[in-house]
Amino acid sequence: GRYVTYSQQGVASTKGTKLLFFHAPWCSQCRQIEATMQSDGIPSGVTVFKIDYDSNQQLRQQYGVTLQTTFVKIDDSGAKVASYVAYDEPVFASVRRELLR
């Protein structure tokens, strides 16, 4: 799996499962989730796109995101399939359980 910075081109050219991670650098839970992604790894075939929560209001609105630590699973057209807020359980294992079944 991969953890990369969001870009429309990146999303469009990526195959497999796509997760958008609405992240804020000041958010301790976001940093915890990042740490567990690095230590536990991201499953093969999954790409996590890091989106700055504070500077991407348009994307937040598009996907109905109201809190940092939100992950949005999207399909190849960019449409929302599901979402999960990892704020109360800020580890990637919870994201895997909720969105990667």
Side-chain angles (χ1 to χ4, degrees):
R2 299 182 316 140
Y3 183 44
V4 298
T5 301
Y6 173 85
S7 74
Q8 284 184 314
Q9 299 84 356
V11 170
S13 66
T14 295
K15 302 289 180 236
T17 302
K18 302 172 206 184
L19 298 179
L20 307 180
F21 174 30
F22 287 84
H23 172 283
W26 47 263
C27 167
S28 61
Q29 287 90 342
C30 296
R31 292 193 302 270
Q32 276 184 270
I33 295 165
E34 275 187 322
T36 63
M37 275 194 273
Q38 291 171 343
S39 64
D40 301 349
I42 296 169
S44 180
V46 175
T47 302
V48 178
F49 293 93
K50 181 180 183 175
I51 298 174
D52 184 77
Y53 179 83
D54 294 319
S55 63
N56 285 286
Q57 287 83 356
Q58 184 178 351
L59 282 173
R60 285 179 15 212
Q61 201 169 34
Q62 178 180 342
Y63 291 107
V65 172
T66 58
L67 188 66
Q68 72 281 1
T69 71
T70 300
F71 285 78
V72 178
K73 185 176 184 177
I74 59 172
D75 65 17
D76 285 334
S77 71
K80 178 179 174 178
V81 174
S83 65
Y84 172 68
V85 179
Y87 190 87
D88 292 328
E89 194 179 348
V91 293
F92 192 67
S94 70
V95 176
R96 192 180 293 198
R97 181 186 70 233
E98 296 296 325
L99 294 178
L100 301 177
R101 293 179 244 178

